Amino acid sequence: MMLQKLLHYRWFRGSKLLALGAFGITLLPQMALLILSYVHALTYERNELQSIASLSARQMTSLIRAAEITLKDLETYFSQDRLNDARHLQLLQRTGYRDPRFREIGVVNEAGALYLTSLGFIEPPILLQDRARLDLSKKELQILGPLTTQVMQERSLVLALPTQGQGEINILVDPILLSHWLEINGLELGPDGYIAFVRTADQEIIDGAGQLPREGNILSAQPARDRLQLSQSLDDIGVTIVVNVSRAWILRDWRSFFQLGVPIALLSSSLMALAAGHFVALKAQMEQDLRKAIASDELELYYQPILDIETEQCVGAEALIRWQHATRGLLLPDAFIPLTEKTKLIVKIGEWVIKQVLQTQADLLKKNPHLYISVNLSPVQITSEAHSKRILSLLTTHPEIAPHLLFEITENVLVEDAQMHIPEALASIRACGAKLALDDFGSGYCGINYLSKLNVDYLKIDRKFVSGSDVTAQTATVLEGIIDLGNRLQMTVVAEGVETEAQRQTLIKKGVRYGQGYLWSRPMPAQEFALFVADSSPL
């Protein structure tokens, strides 16, 4: 529903692919997280159930081994002494008391009658039913039950061992012990889960906890798709432990996470798509507005004076473009120049700037023959032969003004866009009589060797070395190095960002002759700049 509404926005229609791509890209990791959490929930619970099954198996094995050792010891004793006296009762009682897991110990004679327990002699002996007796043909420990005991009339797990005289000795274990293991292990089986102790031979459920199935054959039956079943076989004692729980119970916490996570994922991805589409639409609108601005003269040049910092006489200015936007007001270059470079509109705007500067300079030179104006060049204007020819065409058309123009390029242009055409384009500009300046020097990584080959006339020091909170003893040392480098390469050094008298005095002491900054003036329209030049001219 949200996407359907989104697709009907007017500004969204032109950027559907990007917005849908943003939606998919942001949704993908969130859905992957949900899937991973699903797998983790199943894996974690499976490991927990397996751990419980393993622990229960160890406890069951320990019980059976203890019972087996006890019964064999008793069987040996009774085979050597057939007297039915108080010694037998004492022996059974001492044995039973030694291990609290054993509820009762009983002795059955060859006729199948229970005649002695750890509680006392049975008079008359009680004949056991067939289902309560072990298989006399097997001479190993056997697990029966749980059965209702003959004496105490309580359900018990019977661990029995046949004797040589075809009788048996058995130990009774309270089935609650098995459930107690699960409780102390902290197992949660859910409302319909269970853990069962199953005789492997006949798949008879001995005992367990939870909702035990009434039907047998749980070992061979295929578990339902909506349930998770684990089993661990104890072959040495003939028992298999089966754990069976519903997936719904296992995923109960994950479902809550899923129900909350999916709407959040869809909402956040939709908002991201909305933002991406809106951003692209704004850029598209900005580009459209820029084209309109060029055609309707909404662009304007401001000039920031460059002065001799000792005499404070204006020697030039830097032309800075402004855009008087119809709805957003006056925009500085940082708000729109990056877009013009991506869309190649900078070529057309750059040509307009040069034409405006040529016209302004033609008027200014009549009264100020010493004055120069600097123009910023974009990499796009000089990395293509076709684009650089536009600049050369304008300069050759006004050969008398070209020597009073200074073209500024940033240090990073030489590093990031070091195509072969840049030196050639710059050399052609100098051949027309114009001069070159390296702007914001110190902010990039231009090599000194490469700098010397470009025949740059002016070196403009980045403002971070002159003003602001970043000026430290270290930057002051770098500033001295830049000034020394400029002098050695016979370049005119200009300091940018001069804001205070103290900064001006420092620059004078370091040998810098020219500067620009708010100490003297902010950028101003051409008419105001003409008045500024007139006021700063010597009488």
Side-chain angles (χ1 to χ4, degrees):
M1 180 66 69
M2 183 175 293
L3 280 178
Q4 291 178 350
K5 292 182 178 179
L6 188 64
L7 293 172
H8 285 86
Y9 282 114
R10 178 183 58 82
W11 55 266
F12 184 78
R13 295 172 185 170
S15 53
K16 285 182 181 179
L17 291 179
L18 180 68
L20 292 176
F23 179 82
I25 291 174
T26 55
L27 184 63
L28 185 62
Q30 298 182 80
M31 297 311 297
L33 179 61
L34 288 173
I35 294 173
L36 287 175
S37 66
Y38 173 83
V39 174
H40 175 267
L42 283 179
T43 304
Y44 176 80
E45 291 295 339
R46 183 186 294 273
N47 292 338
E48 286 293 303
L49 294 175
Q50 188 64 59
S51 176
I52 296 301
S54 299
L55 185 56
S56 298
R58 290 195 297 270
Q59 292 168 324
M60 186 69 173
T61 301
S62 174
L63 173 67
I64 298 301
R65 289 287 174 259
E68 187 175 30
I69 293 172
T70 300
L71 290 174
K72 284 185 177 181
D73 289 344
L74 290 174
E75 195 273 337
T76 301
Y77 181 83
F78 276 92
S79 65
Q80 297 174 353
D81 186 358
R82 294 180 176 275
L83 297 178
N84 299 333
D85 57 19
R87 287 180 300 167
H88 295 103
L89 177 60
Q90 292 174 356
L91 176 63
L92 294 184
Q93 290 175 340
R94 287 198 306 269
T95 303
Y97 294 153
R98 261 200 313 266
D99 195 327
R101 292 175 295 182
F102 301 156
R103 166 185 280 177
E104 183 183 351
I105 302 175
V107 182
V108 180
N109 60 24
E110 293 83 349
L114 177 68
Y115 70 92
L116 176 62
T117 73
S118 54
L119 300 177
F121 286 95
I122 308 298
E123 292 294 344
I126 301 175
L127 187 65
L128 300 181
Q129 299 178 4
D130 291 341
R131 64 182 182 85
R133 295 216 60 191
L134 48 68
D135 185 352
L136 294 175
S137 64
K138 299 178 181 180
K139 300 304 180 181
E140 70 269 1
L141 179 72
Q142 298 174 42
I143 305 174
L144 306 176
L147 303 172
T148 301
T149 60
Q150 297 292 332
V151 178
M152 299 181 66
Q153 293 295 308
E154 293 183 355
R155 290 183 62 79
S156 299
L157 189 64
V158 180
L159 308 179
L161 183 72
T163 62
Q164 294 181 359
Q166 297 300 305
E168 69 180 71
I169 304 175
N170 56 46
I171 289 177
L172 305 185
V173 176
D174 192 340
I176 199 173
L177 179 64
L178 279 62
S179 301
H180 178 64
W181 293 342
L182 305 181
E183 292 175 2
I184 63 175
N185 295 336
L187 177 64
E188 294 186 9
L189 300 172
D192 59 350
Y194 64 87
I195 180 169
F197 296 85
V198 183
R199 276 198 299 268
T200 307
D202 57 7
Q203 298 196 39
E204 183 72 22
I205 296 177
I206 300 172
D207 203 356
Q211 296 295 323
L212 293 173
R214 296 180 180 180
E215 304 169 348
N217 303 324
I218 64 173
L219 297 182
S220 58
Q222 186 69 23
R225 294 175 60 89
D226 62 341
R227 303 190 68 80
L228 176 64
Q229 179 169 305
L230 299 175
S231 62
Q232 183 162 342
S233 178
L234 309 178
D235 294 332
D236 51 347
I237 62 174
V239 174
T240 299
I241 297 177
V242 178
V243 185
N244 187 297
V245 295
S246 68
R247 289 179 180 268
W249 171 257
I250 289 177
L251 298 174
R252 61 193 183 282
D253 293 333
W254 180 85
R255 288 180 183 275
S256 300
F257 175 69
F258 179 82
Q259 292 171 356
L260 179 64
V262 168
I264 291 177
L266 292 175
L267 178 61
S268 60
S269 296
S270 298
L271 291 176
M272 187 63 68
L274 190 68
H278 192 52
F279 176 73
V280 172
L282 285 177
K283 289 181 65 178
Q285 184 63 45
M286 179 73 79
E287 181 180 351
Q288 183 179 350
D289 291 347
L290 266 173
R291 295 183 185 277
K292 180 182 177 182
I294 297 172
S296 57
D297 293 330
E298 293 181 12
L299 301 178
E300 185 178 356
L301 285 184
Y302 277 48
Y303 297 85
Q304 185 170 33
I306 300 173
L307 292 87
D308 183 321
I309 61 177
E310 291 187 14
T311 65
E312 296 191 313
Q313 178 184 355
C314 183
V315 297
E318 180 180 356
L320 301 168
I321 193 169
R322 300 289 188 266
W323 179 11
Q324 189 63 47
H325 195 277
T327 58
R328 300 176 60 184
L330 189 66
L331 300 180
L332 299 181
D334 290 345
F336 60 92
I337 288 299
L339 178 61
T340 64
E341 291 179 334
K342 290 182 179 180
T343 58
K344 299 298 190 295
L345 282 175
I346 190 64
V347 176
K348 194 169 185 179
I349 292 177
E351 187 176 355
W352 175 86
V353 169
I354 295 175
K355 288 180 179 179
Q356 293 296 314
V357 169
L358 288 171
Q359 181 179 344
T360 301
Q361 189 68 315
D363 296 334
L364 290 172
L365 288 176
K366 294 176 182 179
K367 295 182 180 180
N368 305 279
H370 64 281
L371 200 67
Y372 73 87
I373 295 181
S374 66
V375 178
N376 291 284
L377 284 181
S378 166
V380 181
Q381 294 175 270
I382 54 176
T383 53
S384 167
E385 181 178 359
H387 296 161
S388 62
K389 282 184 177 181
R390 292 173 176 263
I391 300 174
L392 298 177
S393 175
L394 292 171
L395 295 179
T396 54
T397 305
H398 301 80
E400 75 286 357
I401 301 179
H404 299 279
L405 296 182
L406 176 65
F407 288 93
E408 298 185 17
I409 55 174
T410 61
E411 182 181 356
N412 289 333
V413 170
L414 305 181
V415 179
E416 298 173 1
D417 297 286
Q419 291 94 340
M420 294 297 295
H421 185 67
I422 289 181
E424 180 182 343
L426 296 178
S428 299
I429 291 174
R430 289 189 89 248
C432 292
K435 295 180 176 58
L436 299 176
L438 190 60
D439 193 16
D440 298 334
F441 188 76
S443 62
Y445 308 94
C446 179
I448 297 176
N449 182 47
Y450 189 64
L451 175 63
S452 62
K453 292 180 180 179
L454 292 175
N455 295 321
V456 176
D457 303 287
Y458 283 71
L459 194 64
K460 302 190 74 174
I461 303 173
D462 189 86
R463 64 185 301 113
K464 70 180 180 181
F465 297 103
V466 178
S467 63
S469 59
D470 294 335
V471 178
T472 62
Q474 185 177 5
T475 55
T477 302
V478 175
L479 174 61
E480 293 178 357
I482 295 174
I483 295 170
D484 183 63
L485 175 64
N487 293 333
R488 289 178 182 274
L489 295 177
Q490 298 182 344
M491 299 177 183
T492 301
V493 178
V494 180
E496 296 183 296
V498 183
E499 298 179 351
T500 66
E501 179 63 25
Q503 293 167 3
R504 170 176 171 261
Q505 294 299 328
T506 299
L507 292 170
I508 292 175
K509 291 178 183 179
K510 293 182 181 295
V512 178
R513 185 174 179 182
Y514 301 103
Q516 68 183 92
Y518 291 170
L519 176 62
W520 298 288
S521 175
R522 293 177 178 269
M524 62 188 76
Q527 297 84 352
E528 293 182 22
F529 174 65
L531 295 175
F532 181 89
V533 173
D535 291 342
S536 64
S537 298
L539 298 176

